[in-house]
Amino acid sequence: MCKSLQINKPLVSVNWLYQHLDATNLVVLNGTLPKVALKENQSILVDNQIPNTRFFDIKKEFSIQGAQFPNTALKPVDFQEKARKLGINKDSCIVVYDEYGIYSSARVWWIFKTMGFDNVAVLDGGFPLWKTHEFPVEKKQTHFYSKGNFTANYNQELLINAANVLAAVSDSKKQILDARSSDRFFSLVSEPRAELRSGHIPNSKNLPYTSLLNGTILKSTKDIEKLFTALKVEKKQLIFSCGSGVTACVLALGATLLGCNNVAVYDGSWTEWGSLQYLPIEK
């Protein structure tokens, strides 16, 4: 049995995870969330999982049920209780993956960060790369664990609301980056959610989350740095937005790998901004 793990970076490789599968404090989470913009998304999801995986249900368990906007983050006390039910402890080492590669796994990683938990990382390449390496899998199943002692220590600066973003629109020290596709950002296509206005937050810049990826894996830090440098965002607080607060976290992951500390994710993102008529938009 391996000793307890402590992760000092936000991204780990499939090789690293394979070598540490028997670590005493390892918790592997599947944070897959079907893509709202893809009609064929169900065919991507798979029947197998990494051994001893626990399913982190973003939609039904780790979002406020009945909230006005999708994927609204839980209150810390509720997150703490649900994390404990998954058997997560204060000293757990969490690796989270999804079945697309890197998509919703970054959201799970960021939410744990907002809850004051740092021993967590995204699996680079996710389940697709794990399968490519022919590492062991098991049929999807629910494993049962003793209730954990996870404790949430919420950092409200990492997950912000519409009022915070509205104030940032005219603040030269802050820059909003939108992770949606360029077609959506520039109103060239309709939003996948029919009730939403098209466009983008004023003074925001477009950085599609897919531009940070090479297939299912994240690009090198050197290539990611070029993307951020091209947008001239140095020395600014970075606020990341997207459709519903999911892929914005991919940008947060990239920025964290670059050593950026002054970053935040807009939880409501365009689903909230595009539906509230009093909020200004650009096209």
Side-chain angles (χ1 to χ4, degrees), residues 56-77:
F56 186 99
D57 193 337
I58 295 174
K59 183 66 65 177
K60 296 180 180 179
E61 291 292 333
F62 285 91
S63 296
I64 296 177
Q65 300 304 292
Q68 185 177 2
F69 306 108
N71 309 323
T72 302
L74 293 174
K75 294 180 179 178
V77 64

Side-chain angles (χ1 to χ4, degrees), residues 78-98:
D78 296 324
F79 183 94
Q80 176 176 288
E81 179 61 22
K82 289 182 180 292
R84 288 179 175 183
K85 287 182 178 179
L86 276 179
I88 297 174
N89 294 300
K90 296 177 183 178
D91 65 348
S92 291
C93 172
I94 299 173
V95 175
V96 54
Y97 73 88
D98 66 60

